[in-house]
Amino acid sequence: MLLRVDVTFGVVLGLLLVAAVAVVALARLGRAREIAVAGVRAALQLGAVSFLIGWVVGGVPPTIGFVALMYAVAVRTAGRRVTPNRTWWWAAVPIGAGVGPVMAVLLLVGAVPAKGIALIPVTGILIGGALTATVLGGRRALDELHARRGEVEAGLALGMLDRDARMEVARPAASDALLPGLDQTRTVGLVTLPGAFVGMLLGGASPVLAGAVQLFVLVALMAVQAVAVSVVLELVARGRIHRDM
């Protein structure tokens, strides 16, 4: 057993959350309340899922419903992080474009069995990766366009199309969204042992099988994130996702 879930566990968890909130508050980073709320929400949500997961993975309709819920929450979370206006719902496109084709291929070739116990965690990992890539790519692109608005206008003055002028400015910044996934993949086994690897080892799988599954997850994540960043960049360049001035 990796952790004992008892009173001590709860106390330590609470102290870690309080410490995180205190550090952010003292450093005036402006995210103390968000961290506190996120920690409490995570506890409640994981608690609920822990009790419901057996029922969810037991049938096709509950599995599909749970995956749809994950997707909807990811879209709203990513969209509202990128922009507060009504264009946030366009976040559905990069997340869906990244996760949908990859999951379809994995199911068709049998790499992931069409069972809730496998489908839900794999889809959740990929949706989470697409969410992160969409948020980072969209925010960086919009921030760069705001900071370098003059360069966009200069490109327009030279005869460039609006989409092309915006793309030239936003593309380098948006590509930074790929760095977390790249660094995680490049350093796996040397710096970190990710969750899928550790989880399979604790479940009794061989180290070789655990390593193969983790490699599969990391490569699939890179594919999903590459698509998500490319699509959200295109949406920003075309003005589908924007911020009110």
Side-chain angles (χ1 to χ4, degrees):
M1 183 181 294
L2 183 62
L3 288 172
R4 291 185 305 169
V5 182
D6 53 17
V7 175
T8 302
F9 171 81
V11 171
V12 172
L13 203 60
L15 290 175
L16 289 173
L17 181 58
V18 170
V21 172
V23 170
V24 171
L26 290 172
R28 298 180 182 178
L29 299 179
R31 302 285 184 181
R33 183 176 181 277
E34 291 184 48
I35 290 177
V37 172
V40 174
R41 280 188 58 175
L44 295 175
Q45 290 164 190
L46 285 173
V49 170
S50 299
F51 284 108
L52 294 175
I53 194 68
W55 173 76
V56 170
V57 302
V60 174
T63 296
I64 294 175
F66 194 77
V67 170
L69 176 63
M70 289 193 294
Y71 175 67
V73 173
V75 169
R76 179 166 178 80
T77 301
R80 303 299 286 182
R81 282 292 185 193
V82 174
T83 179
N85 63 30
R86 66 187 183 281
T87 64
W88 66 265
W89 68 268
W90 278 99
V93 179
I95 295 176
V99 176
V102 172
M103 280 304 304
V105 170
L106 296 179
L107 288 170
L108 286 174
V109 302
V112 175
K115 299 179 180 179
I117 195 65
L119 192 62
I120 287 177
V122 173
T123 306
I125 291 171
L126 298 184
I127 290 177
L131 183 158
T132 301
T134 299
V135 170
L136 293 177
R139 286 177 65 93
R140 291 288 290 116
L142 289 172
D143 288 345
E144 200 74 358
L145 287 174
H146 177 73
R148 299 169 60 186
R149 185 177 177 182
E151 294 180 42
V152 175
E153 293 177 352
L156 294 175
L158 292 174
M160 295 179 68
L161 296 176
D162 185 56
R163 179 261 181 195
D164 295 338
R166 293 164 65 87
M167 184 68 77
E168 286 297 316
V169 171
R171 182 186 286 118
S175 68
D176 287 348
L178 298 173
L179 293 179
L182 283 172
D183 289 343
Q184 182 183 23
T185 304
R186 291 169 62 182
T187 61
V188 65
L190 298 176
V191 178
T192 61
L193 295 177
F197 182 84
V198 175
M200 290 198 66
L201 286 180
L202 293 175
S206 69
V208 174
L209 179 59
V213 170
Q214 184 61 66
L215 179 61
F216 152 76
V217 169
L218 289 173
V219 173
L221 267 175
M222 284 199 298
V224 167
Q225 291 177 335
V227 174
V229 171
S230 299
V231 173
V232 76
L233 173 62
E234 188 68 35
L235 291 171
V236 169
R238 292 179 179 273
R240 298 294 187 271
I241 298 177
H242 60 79
R243 291 176 183 158
D244 297 329
M245 299 300 295

